[in-house]
Amino acid sequence: MSSKLEQLQDFLKETPQDPFLHYALANEYLKLGNEQESLARFVAITEQFPDYVGTYYHLGKLLEKLNRTDEAIIYYEKGMVVAQSKRNMHALNELRGAYRLALGEDEDEDY
């Protein structure tokens, strides 16, 4: 187990309601090549902290990598709703671009 992974798990024990720590841990598992653990953690974040908008993009990209594009599209759509409700235009634009690419559209096309 990596020291960063252990450190994140220790931090999470201290503050289990911090969505960023859950997100960081999911990303660390991904960096270590444990895609299934990362996937499970990203999905859990969307359930436990649905307003944590950064999760949706990374979850969608991981699902695409796992050839689960239909599921990725669903999470991109959910993420766009959250980003819009939070008025996070940067996240909305990133999600919209990923969504369009997943649909096979040109990223610059307008609806």
Side-chain angles (χ1 to χ4, degrees), residues 16-53:
Q17 292 303 311
D18 184 340
F20 175 75
L21 291 175
H22 289 274
Y23 173 80
L25 191 59
N27 273 314
E28 188 61 22
Y29 276 111
L30 188 58
K31 286 180 194 171
L32 295 171
N34 191 339
E35 293 173 339
Q36 293 307 313
E37 184 66 27
S38 178
L39 178 63
R41 289 179 179 274
F42 279 135
V43 170
I45 295 166
T46 65
E47 294 166 355
Q48 190 175 3
F49 308 101
D51 287 347
Y52 197 76
V53 72

